[in-house]
Amino acid sequence: MRGIIWRYELRKALLSPVILALLALFLAFNLLYIMQQSYKRQDMAVLNTMAGQFGLRINDQMLAEIEQYNQQQLAEMNALTKERAGKVYAQADDFFTYDNLGEVVYQQPGLFLESEIASFHRLSILQHYAARMQSIDEVYAKLDTSQMAEGQIQLYGLSGQAATALKERYAGLDTRLQQLEASGEYKHLFFDGKLYGTHSMLFKSLLRMLLFELMILAVLLSVFLSKNEFEQHTHLLFYSAKHGRKLQTDKLLAALAATAALTTILAGITLSAYFLTFSYKGLWQVPISSFFTWEPGMAFPFLTWHVLSFGKYLGCAVVLMYGLQLIFAALAFVLGFFIRSSYLVYGSFAVLFGSLLLLGRVIPLSSELLFYSGFTPFQLILNPHIWFTAGGAFNMIRDWEWITAGGWAIVLAALCYVCLKQFKRQNIH
């Protein structure tokens, strides 16, 4: 009997017209975003070819092979350009200057085939990677975590215990940086963050959109199921039956299951579309702490606290995504226990969201508590691109993501248990 009720509640949630409409809308929005970014795919594919030809680990042998290959390809390019246009170039990039393109491409259409121009462009990308690889050691030698800490302290006006704690955490980052340099973890090829910004594209933009969309669906599902009988004025009939007061347990379980199912559908289709559009062939084992994940505007490259390949990093992010959606569903269920109207539950959730985001603004800048104000699931969904990394002044606590998700999950599990127990005795009129 209980299994039948549970399946009925689950089916009711998943087939709700509002949920299905939002699911379709969110999916369309995500696919549109991926299509808008698809112009990068051909240039990005050059790296897949490089990885297959030269390997991923950057060392002297790789640099020598790439240099030899570049010189060979540049010689072939110059032989062709000299024959067709009477010009030779020091670098493939020189072909793509504004004046040169105007002279040999736009003013003389057909002088070079599109396939030939494309090969010149691929060579310019390869030469860009080769030039960037030459400067890696020099860049890392200049990284000074103590100066980073002082810069963050001045930027945010920190003092007292807060400033001391931040210096200690940056000292811990220095230890991790030394380990990374000793192992050569940062010396791996990956999509160049300065050219493509793939880490931000996938985790900051696409994953953050997914997290917000799934949060909306999780809250709607949980409130819809828990408040449906009250909204339809059938609660006196349903909850007066023999199984009646246990129905809320079935509703909670159905809400959690439906949330997990929708997360699988929406995230599964979205991420599948992304990886079918952008090939990561041969790059799944590259550490996220690769030099090439460094993007413009960052004080230092992405540094994970643990050694994580791209594949493992993505897997951890997906697991955390599931956990956060279950947390949101449980949180909405708890709020619904205290608030009768579903609309007020939605409003209360939004107020809680904003209040916890603003919590850090009311804590003194001299207090170490400032760093713990971000231990909320709402901060997590705002910053998926810095999960598991040293993400700046307020995200320098190792494993803060798992601590936050685990702590909230335990508290909400206890609150759900108390609410379900209390519901069996409370007045439902």
Side-chain angles (χ1 to χ4, degrees):
M1 178 64 181
R2 188 160 196 173
I4 296 174
I5 295 174
W6 183 84
R7 287 195 297 271
Y8 170 76
E9 293 292 336
L10 180 60
R11 181 175 178 273
K12 181 169 66 175
L14 293 177
L15 296 182
S16 167
V18 175
I19 297 299
L20 291 176
L22 283 175
L23 180 63
L25 177 64
F26 293 153
L27 184 58
F29 186 76
N30 296 345
L31 295 179
L32 177 62
Y33 172 78
I34 294 171
M35 289 177 58
Q36 289 174 338
Q37 301 299 316
S38 63
Y39 70 92
K40 302 177 183 178
R41 63 181 298 181
Q42 291 186 345
D43 287 357
M44 289 169 60
V46 174
L47 181 64
N48 301 113
T49 305
M50 287 181 62
Q53 186 173 355
F54 303 108
L56 294 171
R57 187 66 181 258
I58 300 171
N59 51 36
D60 293 339
Q61 180 181 351
M62 174 199 267
L63 292 174
E65 290 177 356
I66 290 179
E67 179 62 25
Q68 181 181 359
Y69 181 80
N70 279 341
Q71 293 301 325
Q72 176 188 345
Q73 294 297 306
L74 183 62
E76 294 178 4
M77 169 184 160
N78 280 329
L80 182 61
T81 56
K82 186 175 182 180
E83 177 186 349
R84 301 271 184 86
K87 291 192 172 190
V88 295
Y89 303 94
Q91 299 291 335
D93 266 349
D94 297 338
F95 182 87
F96 295 95
T97 60
Y98 179 81
D99 291 338
N100 186 73
L101 282 177
E103 180 181 349
V104 302
V105 177
Y106 302 128
Q107 294 178 12
Q108 302 181 68
L111 185 62
F112 293 99
L113 301 176
E114 289 187 7
S115 59
E116 292 169 340
I117 297 175
S119 69
F120 300 163
H121 183 57
R122 287 194 294 271
L123 179 58
S124 71
I125 295 174
L126 195 149
Q127 290 181 338
H128 169 84
Y129 275 101
R132 293 265 284 154
M133 284 188 278
Q134 297 288 347
S135 65
I136 292 179
D137 288 327
E138 180 184 351
V139 169
Y140 275 78
K142 293 180 180 179
L143 293 178
D144 187 336
T145 55
S146 62
Q147 288 187 0
M148 294 179 194
E150 290 296 337
Q152 294 291 293
I153 289 170
Q154 293 179 11
L155 177 63
Y156 296 105
L158 305 179
S159 61
Q161 293 180 346
T164 302
L166 188 61
K167 290 178 181 178
E168 292 174 353
R169 294 192 177 106
Y170 269 94
L173 176 62
D174 186 63
T175 301
R176 169 64 178 128
L177 186 59
Q178 292 176 17
Q179 175 194 3
L180 179 137
E181 291 176 341
S183 65
E185 185 183 337
Y186 64 105
K187 283 189 168 184
H188 287 80
L189 280 175
F190 200 68
F191 297 119
D192 190 356
K194 290 188 179 295
L195 286 179
Y196 312 115
T198 51
H199 188 88
S200 290
M201 179 172 66
L202 174 56
F203 294 102
K204 186 176 182 179
S205 298
L206 188 60
L207 183 57
R208 184 158 62 183
M209 283 192 296
L210 265 176
L211 289 167
F212 271 93
E213 292 162 357
L214 290 168
M215 179 184 69
I216 293 170
L217 291 173
V219 173
L220 287 174
L221 276 171
S222 186
V223 176
F224 169 71
L225 287 179
S226 64
K227 292 298 177 186
N228 184 254
E229 278 67 34
F230 291 101
E231 298 287 346
Q232 300 298 324
H233 304 292
T234 58
H235 57 287
L236 295 178
L237 174 63
F238 277 91
Y239 292 121
S240 62
K242 181 179 179 181
H243 184 75
R245 295 303 181 108
K246 298 178 182 179
L247 183 60
Q248 282 294 90
T249 302
D250 297 321
K251 288 179 174 293
L252 174 60
L253 294 176
L256 296 177
T259 297
L262 288 180
T263 299
T264 301
I265 295 170
L266 184 57
I269 296 176
T270 299
L271 293 178
S272 295
Y274 177 86
F275 287 110
L276 286 172
T277 303
F278 304 103
S279 173
Y280 280 68
K281 182 180 179 181
L283 303 175
W284 292 91
Q285 298 304 316
V286 174
I288 283 291
S289 298
S290 164
F291 165 77
F292 284 100
T293 59
W294 196 343
E295 298 183 3
M298 295 174 57
F300 54 91
F302 287 104
L303 297 174
T304 55
W305 290 108
H306 306 281
V307 181
L308 289 176
S309 65
F310 173 78
K312 290 180 179 178
Y313 185 92
L314 178 64
C316 290
V318 169
V319 170
L320 188 55
M321 174 181 65
Y322 272 92
L324 288 172
Q325 303 319 313
L326 296 179
I327 286 172
F328 293 135
L331 179 57
F333 181 85
V334 171
L335 290 174
F337 176 79
F338 297 101
I339 304 170
R340 181 61 62 91
S341 170
S342 59
Y343 297 104
L344 291 179
V345 176
Y346 302 140
S348 299
F349 188 92
V351 169
L352 181 63
F353 189 127
S355 300
L356 290 178
L357 289 182
L358 295 174
L359 181 61
R361 296 181 179 273
V362 300
I363 299 176
L365 294 175
S366 60
S367 173
E368 190 175 353
L369 290 175
L370 187 65
F371 302 113
Y372 298 99
S373 64
F375 279 52
T376 71
F378 306 117
Q379 285 287 357
L380 279 173
I381 68 170
L382 284 173
N383 301 290
H385 57 296
I386 58 172
W387 286 354
F388 322 120
T389 70
F394 300 103
N395 303 101
M396 288 293 293
I397 300 177
R398 188 184 298 237
D399 297 326
W400 72 279
E401 306 86 359
W402 299 120
I403 295 170
T404 302
W408 276 75
I410 292 171
V411 171
L412 285 170
L415 288 174
C416 287
Y417 178 79
V418 171
C419 290
L420 291 173
K421 285 291 185 181
Q422 182 65 28
F423 184 74
K424 292 179 180 180
R425 297 188 298 269
Q426 77 175 26
N427 187 349
I428 60 173
H429 289 279

